Amino acid sequence: MGLLINKDIRLFFGQVLAVVILSLLFGVVFSQKIVQDFKEQILTHDYEVAGYMLEHGATPADVSMAFAAEKSEREISSGKRLLQTLGYRLDADNRLLPDANALLHRYRLILTLFALLLGLLLFAAFFFYFKRQQQVIEKASNSIDAFMGGRPAVRIDSEKEGSLSRLFASVSTMATSLNAHIEAEKRNKDFLKNTISDISHQLKTPLAALKMYNEIVQEESANEETVKKFTVKTESALEHMEILIQNLLKITKLDAGTIAFNKKNENLPALIEKIVSAFETRAVREQKSITCKGPADAVLYCDGDWMAEAIGNLVKNALDHMRAGGQVEIRWAETQVITKIIVKDDGPGIHPKDLHHVFKRFYRSRFSQDTRGIGLGLSLTRSIVEAHNGTITADSSLGQGSLFALDFLKLTNL
C-alpha cells in the first residue's frame, strides 16, 4: 500500500473508484429498468390477448382460466405448435417481433451511451492525473536546469507526500550537499590563495635582505670585518625565515584541520614549568623574570606539545615587549566547569586601537616598538586554543602591561 502515500495517486484511485461505484449504481438502476420494461411488454401483450378473446365471443371465465389456470404439458405443446406456425420462434428475426425489436434498440442505445460516458470519465481521470504528474516533473526539471545553470539557491518544492516528493526531497538534499561542497572548495581555494599570498609577501623582505647581504659579502670578500658582520645578518635573516615558515605551516595545518591532536590529561604545573625552563636563559640574560602561581594538582586535557607552543608564544610575546626589570606572571586556576590560564606582563601595554586586532595574522601595530616579531605568534596561539575548544581574550592598558586569559571547558574531555 506504499503507492497510496502519494496524494496524487490517492486522488486518482478515488476518481476511478467513484466512476466504478457510479457504474455499479447505474447497472442496478438499469437492470431494474429492464425488468420494468419487460413486465410492461408482457402485461401489454396479455391485455391485448384477453381483450381480443372477449371481443370475439370468449366469456370472462374462459379468459380468466386461460391466464390464471395451471397449464398442462399438452396444452403448452399445443399452443407452441400453433404460435410457431405464426412465426413466434426464438430464432425469428427481431423485425418480426416489433415489441422485442423496439426494446433491443432502446437498450443498445442506452448501453452505448453509458459506455461512452464511462470511457470519458476514465479518460478524464487518467488525463488529469498524468497532466498533474507532468506539470510536477516539468517544474522539477526546470529547477534542476536552473541549478545546473548556476543558480545554487534553487530547490525543488516537495511539500506534498508520496514517492515523487521523496525523490524531489532527496534531489534537493543532494543539491544542498553539492552546494556545500562547492562552497567548501571555494573557501579552500581562497584559503590556499591567501596563504600563498601571505607566504610570498612575508618572504619578500628577508629574501631581499639576503640578496643584498650576499652582494655585499661578494663585493667586500677581502674585508674580514664586513664579511663577519653580514654573515651574522644573514644568519639572523635565515632564522627569521625559518620561524616564519614554521609558524605559517603550523597555522595552515590547524586551519585545514589536518592535525591529529594527542589529547590527554596533562599536569598543568609540570607543563608550565617546561615552558618557563625554555625561556629561563633568555629571561636571565635580559634581566627579566617569570613567576608561576596555581594549584599543584591542576589538570588540563590537551595535547601537551601544542599547548606548550600556545602558552610559550604568549610568554615570548611578553618578553619581546618588556624592558629590563620586567616581569611575566603565569597563573592558573580550576573550577568545576573550566580551567583558566592567565599570562600577564608589566610591559608597555597594547594601544586601544590595536587591542581588537592582536590575534589577526601578520598584524603589526604602528604603535609597537618591536621589530623582531612577525605577527604570527598570537594568531597561532588562538588557533591552537580554539582547536582545544577553548577561548582566548586580551586585556591591556597603555603603560600598565597586558593580560591574556585562556579558558578551557572541562566538559570537552568527557
Side-chain angles (χ1 to χ4, degrees), residues 129-144:
Y129 170 72
F130 287 112
K131 182 179 179 181
R132 286 193 301 270
Q133 295 295 93
Q134 182 66 23
Q135 289 174 343
V136 171
I137 292 172
E138 286 181 358
K139 186 178 179 181
S141 178
N142 292 335
S143 297
I144 293 173

Side-chain angles (χ1 to χ4, degrees), residues 205-239:
T205 301
L207 282 174
L210 283 172
K211 183 178 180 182
M212 181 183 67
Y213 299 158
N214 185 55
E215 290 174 353
I216 293 173
V217 169
Q218 288 179 350
E219 292 173 359
E220 301 289 336
S221 58
N223 190 330
E224 184 178 348
E225 184 178 349
T226 301
V227 171
K228 183 177 181 181
K229 174 183 176 181
F230 283 97
T231 299
V232 173
K233 288 182 176 291
T234 299
E235 184 179 356
S236 176
L238 288 172
E239 182 182 352

Side-chain angles (χ1 to χ4, degrees), residues 147-285:
F147 179 83
M148 298 299 293
R151 295 170 58 190
V154 174
R155 295 291 181 273
I156 302 175
D157 295 332
S158 56
E159 297 177 357
K160 297 182 179 179
E161 302 173 350
S163 54
L164 271 181
S165 296
R166 291 199 301 272
L167 174 63
F168 295 159
S170 298
V171 172
S172 294
T173 301
M174 181 178 68
T176 301
S177 178
L178 285 173
N179 196 40
H181 283 298
I182 291 171
E183 290 296 324
E185 288 299 320
K186 183 179 179 182
R187 288 194 299 270
N188 289 337
K189 185 177 180 181
D190 291 340
F191 171 74
L192 180 60
K193 179 181 177 182
N194 292 334
T195 300
I196 293 173
S197 176
D198 288 342
I199 294 173
S200 174
H201 177 74
Q202 292 299 318
L203 288 177
K204 282 181 180 179
T205 301
L207 282 174
L210 283 172
K211 183 178 180 182
M212 181 183 67
Y213 299 158
N214 185 55
E215 290 174 353
I216 293 173
V217 169
Q218 288 179 350
E219 292 173 359
E220 301 289 336
S221 58
N223 190 330
E224 184 178 348
E225 184 178 349
T226 301
V227 171
K228 183 177 181 181
K229 174 183 176 181
F230 283 97
T231 299
V232 173
K233 288 182 176 291
T234 299
E235 184 179 356
S236 176
L238 288 172
E239 182 182 352
H240 181 87
M241 288 176 63
E242 182 182 8
I243 295 173
L244 169 65
I245 293 172
Q246 287 180 351
N247 285 341
L248 274 171
L249 289 175
K250 290 174 183 176
I251 291 177
T252 301
K253 289 180 180 179
L254 286 167
D255 289 347
T258 58
I259 294 177
F261 290 100
N262 181 25
K263 295 181 181 180
K264 59 183 180 179
N265 286 324
E266 296 279 355
N267 180 265
L268 193 51
L271 181 63
I272 299 297
E273 180 61 30
K274 178 182 175 182
I275 297 168
V276 172
S277 64
F279 291 98
E280 190 172 8
T281 302
R282 175 186 171 181
V284 171
R285 186 176 66 247

